[in-house]
Amino acid sequence: MRASWSRVIFFFLAFTLSARAQDQLAPKIAAPDWGAYQDETVKMMQEYLRINTSNPPGNELAAAQFFHRFFDEAGIPNTIYEYAPDRADLYAILKGDGSLRPIVMLNHMDVVRADSNNWRKPPFSGEIANGEMYGRGALDMKDEGLLQAMVMIIAAREHLPLKRDLVFLATSDEEVGGTGSTWFLQNHADLVRNAEYLITEGGANLILPRHGTIYGVGVAEKAPFWIRVTATGRGGHGSIPLADSAPNRLVRGLRRVVDWQPPVRLLPSVEQYFKVIAVLEPEPRAAQFRDIRKALEDPNFARQMSQDGDFNYLLRNTVSLTVLQGSSQTNVIPDTAYAELDVRLLPGEDPQAFLAQLRNVVADEGVQVENISRLKPPNSSSANTSLYKIIEAVAHKYNPQALVAPTLNSGYTESQMYRPLGITCYGFNTLEVTEELDSAEHAANERVPVEKLRRGVKMLYEVVARAANQ
Ligand SMILES: [Zn+2]
């Protein structure tokens, strides 16, 4: 093969040019007066936590007006969409030069309710005690929303060069009905359709007791697919047993369901996740995690994994038996009995095919198996992107020992609604939390360490600034 010098020179030039572009970016990241921006972040976060957006009823309009005021002051074009009384989405944009597709920062402004009795500090106070800021939403997800807003404001004030538009989208009602994102996508999908990337909640950076921190980038979620199993038969008096009564048929069918394990299906991102966390395990498990696909061929290992709640849900569709309903009186055999199953499907699954599989397992034509939830099809994003690599690099810069792994969430996030537009969606945030702190989400004493907030804003700015330029 003939060496193509022109090509070599081209690559050399392209490399130096992109290295130079990065060099030009470095002062833009380092130069801001970070102390002042971090103070501002803390103050704004307190103010944001004081706006009560408990859902229901939400009242997110007040939060949208809060962002609107700050964006107006920074000269950032933004629009409030009040799609129902006191419920609103806010969209803001900083235009780039258009050479790359936009990046969206998505956050929800509503929070779950808080019973102030169990809190050390009032849940809508933003009070700081022992270096921790208290407030409903401190971790879910007013923290991320506020940091995303600060990134917009700093980028505007510092005249950050942008190859992509930076889009900020704050929505309502994520915790209850999802009407904010639903309305936005029905009416203004064009404002985000062209985006290449979206970051939102669903990432978690856990500080492990002995092993440093694991940065989890949410690349996929499982989807709830709820099922009701109903048996019917002849009713009667409890003193005269009926062998094929509705409860008996139901229990026999359910017995087969709970003894069943849906087959393993290994997603590439899950494989990558095991590879990353292998270093946390002793041998021989570490070696098995490094090549999980091969290890799962060993029935013993496969059984161990299926019995481990932390890992099993990553490997397959899962079924949890949750509701059981028969007679309300001990001496009455009912003519109907039913159960409900909380099924969670992996991305890429065909719900109807799963339903057919489940009917085969129940194996009783007299027992009905039907879907009772509105399915939001499960989907996922690749972990092999420039944004993922930037996240990895910045995480390592701030915490050289950190592990960075793509994660599959057992729960739902709104990423699922935006992926069908062709956007790579990640759950990502920059706050590191302990397991104890993490468990305060949706519970009493939700709080965020002030130091983490200060560090988080700088780190998120660095991720977004780099992502907006490559
Ligand atoms: Zn949330």
Side-chain angles (χ1 to χ4, degrees):
M1 198 192 295
R2 204 151 47 93
S4 163
W5 284 105
S6 64
R7 185 179 293 178
V8 170
I9 289 165
F10 171 78
F11 279 122
F12 175 75
L13 277 176
F15 178 76
T16 22
L17 285 176
S18 84
R20 191 170 305 151
Q22 285 303 303
D23 282 346
Q24 284 166 350
L25 203 57
K28 288 281 178 194
I29 292 165
D33 180 353
W34 277 109
Y37 280 133
Q38 287 164 326
D39 292 346
E40 193 177 346
T41 302
V42 173
K43 210 179 107 256
M44 272 182 68
M45 181 67 185
Q46 287 182 293
E47 227 178 289
Y48 190 27
L49 288 176
R50 288 176 193 138
I51 304 169
N52 185 341
T53 52
S54 296
N55 188 13
N59 288 325
E60 298 92 341
L61 179 62
Q65 282 161 343
F66 163 83
F67 285 130
H68 174 69
R69 186 158 48 89
F70 282 102
F71 286 152
D72 271 6
E73 279 169 15
I76 300 170
N78 68 96
T79 311
I80 291 178
Y81 298 98
E82 190 178 353
Y83 67 89
D86 295 319
R87 315 219 70 177
D89 296 336
L90 178 137
Y91 171 89
I93 183 165
L94 272 176
K95 293 296 267 179
D97 68 15
S99 55
L100 293 170
R101 290 157 61 203
I103 179 167
V104 179
M105 293 182 276
L106 171 73
N107 63 91
H108 64 82
M109 297 177 283
D110 61 316
V111 296
V112 293
R113 289 169 152 258
D115 174 6
S116 56
N117 290 333
N118 308 318
W119 287 61
R120 290 191 284 270
K121 303 288 169 197
F124 296 98
S125 66
E127 237 178 87
I128 297 172
N130 297 320
E132 296 176 325
M133 191 189 296
Y134 284 74
R136 176 55 87 223
L139 294 174
D140 182 12
M141 66 171 296
K142 283 186 166 168
D143 54 335
E144 294 175 59
L146 195 276
L147 295 189
Q148 292 176 354
M150 280 306 298
V151 165
M152 295 288 285
I153 289 166
I154 299 167
R157 290 202 201 136
E158 299 295 327
H159 306 287
L160 179 72
L162 298 172
K163 292 192 171 148
R164 308 176 187 276
D165 298 348
L166 289 191
V167 172
F168 174 93
L169 178 58
T171 59
S172 292
D173 196 32
E174 190 275 342
E175 297 286 3
V176 179
T179 55
S181 270
T182 303
W183 181 89
F184 190 84
L185 289 173
Q186 273 165 7
N187 294 278
H188 295 287
D190 283 348
L191 294 175
V192 291
R193 195 188 301 283
N194 187 37
E196 181 168 12
Y197 295 122
L198 179 149
I199 55 180
T200 187
E201 66 182 343
N205 312 321
L206 270 192
I207 302 169
L208 304 172
R210 281 185 307 281
H211 297 284
T213 302
I214 173 154
Y215 275 75
V217 181
V219 299
E221 302 85 30
K222 291 182 90 171
F225 184 56
W226 293 350
I227 303 289
R228 182 173 295 151
V229 184
T230 310
T232 47
R234 201 153 50 90
H237 196 283
S239 61
I240 312 286
L242 299 169
D244 65 345
S245 70
N248 287 0
R249 291 180 81 164
L250 178 69
V251 166
R252 286 186 201 112
L254 290 178
R255 165 93 198 250
R256 290 186 282 272
V257 171
V258 298
D259 285 345
W260 174 59
Q261 278 287 15
V264 167
R265 191 165 67 81
L266 199 54
L267 299 176
S269 58
V270 170
E271 212 171 343
Q272 195 178 333
Y273 171 76
F274 277 106
K275 204 168 276 181
V276 173
I277 65 161
V279 297
L280 304 177
E281 301 288 334
E283 294 295 351
R285 196 173 244 219
Q288 289 163 325
F289 277 23
R290 275 194 295 276
D291 192 351
I292 190 87
R293 190 171 290 278
K294 185 159 165 282
L296 283 167
E297 288 168 11
D298 168 9
N300 272 331
F301 177 73
R303 197 175 324 108
Q304 277 171 31
M305 294 298 280
S306 69
Q307 286 163 354
D308 190 324
D310 287 341
F311 298 125
N312 184 44
Y313 78 92
L314 299 171
L315 303 172
R316 50 166 55 92
N317 303 324
T318 56
V319 183
S320 287
L321 172 58
T322 52
V323 172
L324 278 169
Q325 188 71 51
S327 174
S328 55
Q329 275 181 271
T330 310
N331 61 354
V332 173
I333 299 173
D335 57 12
T336 305
Y338 71 89
E340 286 173 11
L341 308 173
D342 184 349
V343 168
R344 303 288 169 137
L345 298 177
L346 287 169
E349 284 294 315
D350 173 0
Q352 292 314 316
F354 184 83
L355 202 55
Q357 238 179 344
L358 199 58
R359 286 190 179 120
N360 277 338
V361 174
V362 170
D364 183 342
E365 303 238 308
V367 175
Q368 251 187 27
V369 182
E370 61 193 341
N371 167 232
I372 52 165
S373 61
R374 197 164 55 90
L375 178 78
K376 297 169 180 162
N379 51 33
S380 61
S381 295
S382 165
N384 186 15
T385 65
S386 66
L387 176 58
Y388 190 92
K389 289 186 183 83
I390 289 167
I391 289 172
E392 219 169 27
V394 175
H396 285 140
K397 178 177 163 187
Y398 280 70
N399 184 343
Q401 269 80 52
L403 302 176
V404 182
T407 55
L408 167 66
N409 270 314
S410 60
Y412 168 82
T413 81
E414 288 195 341
S415 285
Q416 288 189 3
M417 301 170 76
Y418 292 83
R419 286 202 190 98
L421 299 179
I423 308 173
T424 294
C425 298
Y426 290 152
F428 172 66
N429 76 69
T430 51
L431 298 180
E432 295 184 356
V433 292
T434 57
E435 222 153 318
E436 192 239 333
L437 213 57
D438 199 44
S439 64
E441 248 185 55
H442 287 216
N445 297 308
E446 186 175 350
R447 62 202 188 278
V448 59
V450 172
E451 264 325 299
K452 301 288 182 201
L453 216 50
R454 295 177 72 91
R455 174 182 177 279
V457 68
K458 195 173 171 200
M459 188 173 162
L460 184 62
Y461 183 75
E462 181 150 0
V463 167
V464 173
R466 288 201 202 184
N469 285 285
Q470 68 186 70

